[in-house]
C-alpha cells in the first residue's frame, strides 16, 4: 500500500496572504500627500513590515469631498527603498496610523452614504489596514464641505459619468443637498483663433516680423540656417514617433490616448492621479514627462528636477522628456542648462544624430526651447527664424504658441522704439 502524502503549500498568492495574514504583520510607516487637507484629495500609503525587512503596502486614492476611495492597489513584499520612492512620487509626509485610518475609513463611509462604492481592489487592500473597530480612536476629519457632499468634476469624467454621479447624488442625498463644481476651463489657456472675417494671425505675424527684419537684420548676428530647418521639417519629421523602439512607441501612443483627459488638466487631482499611474506602471516614460510638467505648474521645481533626472536615466531615447526639461530651463532663464540638454546644437538633427526621424512634437519643443534661448540672449532675428518654424503648427502646440507670442511682443516693442 502506498504511503499517503501530505500536501505542503509552499506559497500563497499575494492576494490570499493579504486577506488572511497581513494584519498579523507589524504596522510600518504611513504617508500622505502634504496638501491633502487643502485639496480634498489624498494619496494615502500604509505599510506592514515583514520579518525580512521588506514591506507590503496599500495605496489609496481618496476623494474626501464626495466619491471616497477612487483607486486602491497593493505592493507585496517589496524593499523599503522602493516604498520610499513611492513616497517621493506622492509628495508624501509621514502621518500617524490612527489618523490615516480615520481618513480612509471615514471617506469610504461618507461616500457609501452618498451611494458610491469603493474601488474594486478595496476588497483586498482593506486588509492591510487594521480592522475598523473600537480599538482605533475616532479622530474628527472633515468630509464634504460644511457637512454636505461636494462633487468636483475630475479630468476623466465625461458627460455620461457626470450625469451618473449627479443622478446617484439626487437619489441618495436629494437634489439641492450637495455642491457641484465643473471647472473644466479653469486651467485652459487662451488660444489664438483665426477668423475668416478678420486678418489672419499669421498674416499679422509675417507683416510684423518682416518689418523687423528689414530694419534690424543687418545689425543682428544670425546663426541659424532657415533652409536647413525647412529640410528637417520636410524630410525627417513624421507623426507617431516617440523612440527608436517600435513596441515602446505603440505603448506610449496608447497611453497618451487613454490618459489624455488626465494629462490635459493641471490640478492637484490630476497630479495625484499621475503619481498613482506611475507607481502602477514605472516602465512608462510618458508618466515621467507628464509628472515633470505637473510639478512645474505647481512650482515644485526640486521635485520636477528629480523626476526628470530619473526619467532621463531610465529612458535616454525618450526625447520628449529631455526637451520638456530643456524648454522649461530656457523659460526659467537657466540658459546654459537648457542649451546643454540640447547638446549645445542649434538644429535637432545635429543635437541627436542617432535619430533618423523626429516626432512633430519633438521638432516643436526643440525649436521652442531654442527660440526662448535666443530671445533671452537678445538675438531676435534667430528667435524669429525659430518662430517661423513653430508657426507651422501654432494652433496645435502650446510651446509653439507661447514662443511665437513672446517673439511678437519683443518685435512690437522694438519697432515702437524706432517709430
Amino acid at each position: 500500500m502506498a504511503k499517503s502524502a501530505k500536501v505542503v503549500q509552499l506559497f500563497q498568492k499575494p492576494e490570499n496572504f493579504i486577506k488572511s495574514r497581513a494584519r498579523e504583520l507589524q504596522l510600518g510607516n504611513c504617508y500622505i500627500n502634504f496638501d491633502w487637507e487643502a485639496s480634498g484629495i489624498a494619496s494615502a500609503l500604509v505599510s506592514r513590515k515583514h520579518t525580512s525587512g521588506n514591506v507590503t503596502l496599500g495605496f489609496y486614492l481618496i476623494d474626501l469631498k464626495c466619491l471616497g476611495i477612487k483607486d486602491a492597489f497593493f505592493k507585496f513584499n517589496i524593499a523599503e527603498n522602493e516604498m520610499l520612492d513611492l513616497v517621493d512620487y506622492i509628495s508624501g509626509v509621514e502621518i500617524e496610523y490612527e489618523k490615516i485610518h480615520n481618513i480612509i475609513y471615514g471617506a469610504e463611509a461618507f461616500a457609501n452614504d452618498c451611494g458610491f462604492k469603493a474601488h474594486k481592489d478595496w476588497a483586498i487592500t482593506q486588509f492591510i489596514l487594521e480592522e475598523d473597530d473600537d480599538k482605533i480612536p475616532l479622530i474628527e476629519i472633515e468630509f464634504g464641505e460644511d457637512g454636505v457632499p461636494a462633487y468636483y468634476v475630475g479630468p476623466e469624467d465625461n458627460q455620461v459619468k457626470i450625469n451618473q454621479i449627479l443622478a446617484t447624488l439626487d437619489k441618495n442625498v436629494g437634489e439641492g443637498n450637495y455642491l457641484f463644481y465643473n471647472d473644466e476651463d479653469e486651467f485652459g489657456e487662451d488660444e489664438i483663433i483665426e477668423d475668416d472675417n478678420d486678418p489672419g494671425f499669421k498674416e499679422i505675424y509675417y507683416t510684423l516680423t518682416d518689418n523687423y527684419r528689414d530694419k534690424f537684420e543687418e545689425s543682428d548676428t544670425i546663426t541659424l540656417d532657415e533652409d536647413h530647418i525647412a529640410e528637417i521639417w520636410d524630410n525627417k519629421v513624421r507623426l507617431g514617433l516617440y523612440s527608436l523602439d517600435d513596441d515602446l512607441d505603440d505603448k506610449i501612443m496608447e497611453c497618451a490616448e487613454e490618459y489624455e483627459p488626465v494629462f490635459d488638466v493641471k490640478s492637484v487631482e490630476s497630479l495625484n492621479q499621475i503619481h498613482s499611474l506611475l507607481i502602477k506602471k514605472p516602465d512608462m516614460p510618458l508618466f515621467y514627462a507628464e509628472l515633470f510638467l505637473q510639478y512645474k505648474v505647481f512650482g515644485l521645481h526640486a521635485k520636477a528636477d528629480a523626476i526628470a533626472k530619473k526619467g532621463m536615466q531610465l529612458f535616454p531615447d525618450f526625447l520628449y522628456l529631455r526637451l520638456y526639461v530643456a524648454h522649461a530651463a530656457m523659460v526659467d532663464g537657466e540658459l546654459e542648462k537648457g542649451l546643454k540638454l540640447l547638446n549645445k546644437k542649434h538644429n535637432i538633427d545635429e543635437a541627436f544624430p542617432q535619430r533618423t526621424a523626429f516626432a512633430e512634437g519633438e521638432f516643436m519643443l526643440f525649436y521652442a526651447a531654442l527660440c526662448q534661448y535666443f530671445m533671452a540672449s537678445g538675438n531676435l532675428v534667430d528667435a524669429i527664424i525659430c518662430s517661423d518654424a513653430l508657426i507651422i503648427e501654432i494652433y496645435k502646440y502650446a510651446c509653439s504658441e507661447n514662443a511665437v507670442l513672446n517673439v511678437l511682443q519683443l518685435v512690437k516693442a522694438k519697432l515702437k522704439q524706432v517709430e
Side-chain angles (χ1 to χ4, degrees):
M1 176 182 270
K3 294 182 179 179
S4 60
K6 182 178 180 181
V7 177
V8 178
Q9 185 172 354
L10 298 179
F11 66 92
Q12 282 183 289
K13 290 176 63 177
E15 294 87 346
N16 293 338
F17 180 95
I18 289 171
K19 287 182 176 180
S20 62
R21 297 183 57 192
R23 285 174 175 163
E24 298 174 9
L25 300 176
Q26 181 183 350
L27 276 167
N29 292 338
C30 303
Y31 302 91
I32 196 167
N33 54 303
F34 71 95
D35 57 349
W36 68 272
E37 289 181 283
S39 67
I41 299 291
S43 294
L45 191 156
V46 176
S47 69
R48 294 276 184 174
K49 296 180 180 179
H50 292 263
T51 55
S52 64
N54 283 356
V55 296
T56 285
L57 59 86
F59 178 89
Y60 313 86
L61 181 63
I62 305 160
D63 175 10
L64 286 82
K65 301 286 189 179
C66 180
L67 302 177
I69 301 171
K70 299 182 66 175
D71 194 7
F73 61 87
F74 66 85
K75 292 278 187 176
F76 180 71
N77 199 19
I78 62 172
E80 188 173 10
N81 286 341
E82 186 176 343
M83 177 184 72
L84 294 178
D85 285 342
L86 304 186
V87 174
D88 287 340
Y89 289 152
I90 66 170
S91 301
V93 294
E94 197 164 348
I95 184 173
E96 62 272 19
Y97 174 77
E98 287 79 9
K99 188 166 186 177
I100 207 169
H101 180 106
N102 276 266
I103 292 169
I104 297 171
Y105 274 106
E108 190 268 339
F110 183 81
N112 190 63
D113 289 343
C114 298
F116 302 107
K117 301 298 182 185
H119 186 272
K120 61 183 178 61
D121 290 336
W122 170 246
I124 299 170
T125 56
Q126 64 180 300
F127 292 98
I128 296 173
L129 308 174
E130 292 288 277
E131 190 172 353
D132 190 34
D133 56 23
D134 293 339
K135 295 178 182 177
I136 305 295
L138 286 176
I139 298 174
E140 186 174 347
I141 306 290
E142 181 181 6
F143 299 102
E145 292 181 2
D146 296 325
V148 301
Y151 169 43
Y152 287 79
V153 174
E156 291 185 299
D157 296 354
N158 57 32
Q159 193 58 51
V160 172
K161 185 173 182 180
I162 293 170
N163 292 341
Q164 290 174 340
I165 291 173
L166 294 178
T168 301
L169 287 168
D170 286 341
K171 177 182 177 182
N172 288 276
V173 301
E175 188 174 352
N177 294 324
Y178 59 87
L179 303 173
F180 173 54
Y181 300 95
N182 189 355
D183 297 328
E184 60 183 1
D185 297 325
E186 180 180 355
F187 297 94
E189 296 180 358
D190 292 333
E191 296 181 356
I192 303 168
I193 300 175
E194 286 188 299
D195 187 333
D196 292 338
N197 298 319
D198 296 320
F201 172 79
K202 290 182 181 179
E203 182 181 341
I204 296 171
Y205 167 84
Y206 286 119
T207 299
L208 288 171
T209 54
D210 287 347
N211 192 8
Y212 177 88
R213 294 176 77 163
D214 288 342
K215 286 181 167 55
F216 297 104
E217 188 164 23
E218 290 184 1
S219 62
D220 284 359
T221 301
I222 303 173
T223 59
L224 294 179
D225 183 343
E226 294 176 84
D227 292 337
H228 184 65
I229 295 174
E231 182 183 346
I232 295 170
W233 174 259
D234 291 337
N235 299 323
K236 294 190 176 182
V237 173
R238 64 181 176 86
L239 296 174
L241 179 74
Y242 291 93
S243 74
L244 298 178
D245 184 331
D246 289 341
D247 290 338
L248 182 58
D249 268 5
D250 293 339
K251 291 178 182 177
I252 291 173
M253 290 181 69
E254 291 173 5
C255 179
E257 291 176 3
E258 181 178 358
Y259 296 108
E260 182 181 8
V262 179
F263 299 153
D264 282 351
V265 175
K266 302 298 184 287
S267 67
V268 173
E269 182 176 0
S270 59
L271 175 64
N272 286 328
Q273 284 182 306
I274 297 170
H275 274 306
S276 175
L277 291 168
L278 183 56
I279 292 169
K280 288 181 176 179
K281 300 178 181 179
D283 58 344
M284 173 47 64
L286 192 58
F287 292 143
Y288 289 87
E290 293 296 336
L291 197 53
F292 168 79
L293 294 175
Q294 294 272 345
Y295 277 141
K296 293 298 289 186
V297 166
F298 288 103
L300 301 171
H301 301 298
K303 287 187 174 295
D305 289 342
I307 200 69
K309 181 178 180 180
K310 184 169 185 178
M312 287 189 288
Q313 288 173 341
L314 291 172
F315 307 100
D317 182 50
F318 183 59
L319 287 190
Y320 269 100
L321 176 56
R322 186 182 185 94
L323 295 173
Y324 278 139
V325 180
H327 183 263
M330 299 299 194
V331 171
D332 291 342
E334 300 177 281
L335 303 186
E336 289 307 311
K337 175 184 175 181
L339 197 59
K340 185 177 180 181
L341 287 163
L342 300 183
N343 290 324
K344 299 187 176 181
K345 300 293 184 181
H346 293 155
N347 284 300
I348 192 170
D349 58 341
E350 296 166 354
F352 307 103
Q354 74 278 14
R355 294 282 291 270
T356 57
F358 299 92
E360 187 179 87
E362 291 172 340
F363 177 92
M364 294 299 165
L365 274 168
F366 182 93
Y367 286 101
L370 204 61
C371 187
Q372 299 288 353
Y373 172 80
F374 284 125
M375 280 190 285
S377 302
N379 187 344
L380 194 47
V381 171
D382 274 337
I384 290 171
I385 293 173
C386 289
S387 66
D388 284 349
L390 298 171
I391 206 169
I392 299 169
E393 289 291 356
I394 188 173
Y395 309 108
K396 190 172 180 180
Y397 297 96
C399 63
S400 299
E401 181 179 321
N402 292 335
V404 171
L405 288 176
N406 289 339
V407 165
L408 275 185
Q409 287 178 346
L410 291 176
V411 165
K412 285 192 207 175
K414 192 81 170 180
L415 290 172
K416 192 172 183 180
Q417 290 175 3
V418 298
E419 285 180 354

